[in-house]
mmCIF file of all heavy atoms in Angstrom:
data_model
loop_
_atom_site.group_PDB
_atom_site.id
_atom_site.type_symbol
_atom_site.label_atom_id
_atom_site.label_comp_id
_atom_site.label_asym_id
_atom_site.label_seq_id
_atom_site.Cartn_x
_atom_site.Cartn_y
_atom_site.Cartn_z
ATOM 1 N N GLU A 903 62.205 99.627 119.892
ATOM 2 C CA GLU A 903 61.872 100.054 118.473
ATOM 3 C C GLU A 903 61.660 98.884 117.598
ATOM 4 O O GLU A 903 61.019 99.017 116.532
ATOM 5 C CB GLU A 903 62.930 101.047 117.967
ATOM 6 C CG GLU A 903 64.234 100.440 117.635
ATOM 7 C CD GLU A 903 65.182 101.523 117.089
ATOM 8 O OE1 GLU A 903 65.025 102.738 117.319
ATOM 9 O OE2 GLU A 903 66.124 101.126 116.395
ATOM 10 N N SER A 904 62.246 97.719 117.906
ATOM 11 C CA SER A 904 62.124 96.524 117.032
ATOM 12 C C SER A 904 60.652 96.139 116.954
ATOM 13 O O SER A 904 60.193 95.595 115.930
ATOM 14 C CB SER A 904 62.899 95.328 117.527
ATOM 15 O OG SER A 904 62.400 94.967 118.804
ATOM 16 N N ILE A 905 59.804 96.476 117.950
ATOM 17 C CA ILE A 905 58.434 96.107 117.828
ATOM 18 C C ILE A 905 57.662 96.822 116.746
ATOM 19 O O ILE A 905 57.029 96.170 115.943
ATOM 20 C CB ILE A 905 57.714 96.621 119.182
ATOM 21 C CG1 ILE A 905 58.202 95.716 120.276
ATOM 22 C CG2 ILE A 905 56.184 96.520 119.069
ATOM 23 C CD1 ILE A 905 57.753 96.122 121.699
ATOM 24 N N TRP A 906 58.004 98.056 116.568
ATOM 25 C CA TRP A 906 57.298 98.751 115.439
ATOM 26 C C TRP A 906 58.120 98.773 114.118
ATOM 27 O O TRP A 906 57.536 98.913 113.076
ATOM 28 C CB TRP A 906 56.817 100.177 115.855
ATOM 29 C CG TRP A 906 57.896 101.102 116.444
ATOM 30 C CD1 TRP A 906 58.298 101.197 117.686
ATOM 31 C CD2 TRP A 906 58.723 102.021 115.699
ATOM 32 N NE1 TRP A 906 59.397 102.084 117.788
ATOM 33 C CE2 TRP A 906 59.640 102.639 116.565
ATOM 34 C CE3 TRP A 906 58.946 102.289 114.256
ATOM 35 C CZ2 TRP A 906 60.649 103.517 116.120
ATOM 36 C CZ3 TRP A 906 59.870 103.196 113.871
ATOM 37 C CH2 TRP A 906 60.733 103.887 114.910
ATOM 38 N N LYS A 907 59.378 98.712 114.272
ATOM 39 C CA LYS A 907 60.202 98.636 112.983
ATOM 40 C C LYS A 907 59.967 97.355 112.299
ATOM 41 O O LYS A 907 59.879 97.291 111.053
ATOM 42 C CB LYS A 907 61.734 98.797 113.286
ATOM 43 C CG LYS A 907 62.008 100.269 113.516
ATOM 44 C CD LYS A 907 63.558 100.540 113.442
ATOM 45 C CE LYS A 907 63.763 101.953 113.420
ATOM 46 N NZ LYS A 907 65.212 102.366 113.413
ATOM 47 N N ASN A 908 59.784 96.219 113.054
ATOM 48 C CA ASN A 908 59.522 94.884 112.367
ATOM 49 C C ASN A 908 58.091 94.746 111.971
ATOM 50 O O ASN A 908 57.717 94.003 111.104
ATOM 51 C CB ASN A 908 59.939 93.759 113.331
ATOM 52 C CG ASN A 908 61.365 93.708 113.520
ATOM 53 O OD1 ASN A 908 62.203 94.143 112.689
ATOM 54 N ND2 ASN A 908 61.850 93.138 114.697
ATOM 55 N N ASP A 909 57.210 95.584 112.672
ATOM 56 C CA ASP A 909 55.803 95.465 112.431
ATOM 57 C C ASP A 909 55.196 96.828 112.555
ATOM 58 O O ASP A 909 54.641 97.175 113.606
ATOM 59 C CB ASP A 909 55.054 94.418 113.341
ATOM 60 C CG ASP A 909 53.584 94.361 113.062
ATOM 61 O OD1 ASP A 909 53.087 94.787 112.041
ATOM 62 O OD2 ASP A 909 52.841 93.798 113.988
ATOM 63 N N PRO A 910 55.216 97.662 111.458
ATOM 64 C CA PRO A 910 54.707 99.022 111.595
ATOM 65 C C PRO A 910 53.219 99.066 112.037
ATOM 66 O O PRO A 910 52.778 100.017 112.623
ATOM 67 C CB PRO A 910 54.889 99.575 110.182
ATOM 68 C CG PRO A 910 55.999 98.847 109.628
ATOM 69 C CD PRO A 910 55.865 97.449 110.173
ATOM 70 N N ALA A 911 52.489 98.019 111.765
ATOM 71 C CA ALA A 911 51.035 97.971 112.157
ATOM 72 C C ALA A 911 50.915 97.812 113.672
ATOM 73 O O ALA A 911 49.737 97.969 114.154
ATOM 74 C CB ALA A 911 50.294 96.826 111.405
ATOM 75 N N ALA A 912 52.014 97.632 114.421
ATOM 76 C CA ALA A 912 51.800 97.427 115.838
ATOM 77 C C ALA A 912 51.364 98.702 116.564
ATOM 78 O O ALA A 912 50.794 98.713 117.519
ATOM 79 C CB ALA A 912 53.194 97.071 116.431
ATOM 80 N N VAL A 913 51.523 99.925 115.853
ATOM 81 C CA VAL A 913 50.983 101.093 116.362
ATOM 82 C C VAL A 913 49.438 101.077 116.391
ATOM 83 O O VAL A 913 48.901 101.912 117.152
ATOM 84 C CB VAL A 913 51.528 102.360 115.447
ATOM 85 C CG1 VAL A 913 50.739 102.403 114.112
ATOM 86 C CG2 VAL A 913 51.341 103.600 116.189
ATOM 87 N N LEU A 914 48.796 100.192 115.679
ATOM 88 C CA LEU A 914 47.362 100.081 115.739
ATOM 89 C C LEU A 914 46.868 99.054 116.641
ATOM 90 O O LEU A 914 45.657 98.701 116.775
ATOM 91 C CB LEU A 914 46.830 99.606 114.295
ATOM 92 C CG LEU A 914 47.320 100.611 113.245
ATOM 93 C CD1 LEU A 914 46.926 100.054 111.814
ATOM 94 C CD2 LEU A 914 46.780 102.085 113.385
ATOM 95 N N SER A 915 47.665 98.440 117.532
ATOM 96 C CA SER A 915 47.445 97.453 118.489
ATOM 97 C C SER A 915 46.427 98.045 119.489
ATOM 98 O O SER A 915 46.389 99.158 119.799
ATOM 99 C CB SER A 915 48.633 97.001 119.302
ATOM 100 O OG SER A 915 49.576 96.423 118.417
ATOM 101 N N PRO A 916 45.454 97.192 120.068
ATOM 102 C CA PRO A 916 44.472 97.606 120.941
ATOM 103 C C PRO A 916 45.229 98.243 122.181
ATOM 104 O O PRO A 916 46.349 97.827 122.646
ATOM 105 C CB PRO A 916 43.818 96.304 121.493
ATOM 106 C CG PRO A 916 44.042 95.362 120.318
ATOM 107 C CD PRO A 916 45.317 95.730 119.747
#
Side-chain angles (χ1 to χ4, degrees):
E903 70 179 25
S904 66
I905 293 170
W906 54 269
K907 281 195 172 179
N908 293 336
D909 179 15
V913 74
L914 305 174
S915 298

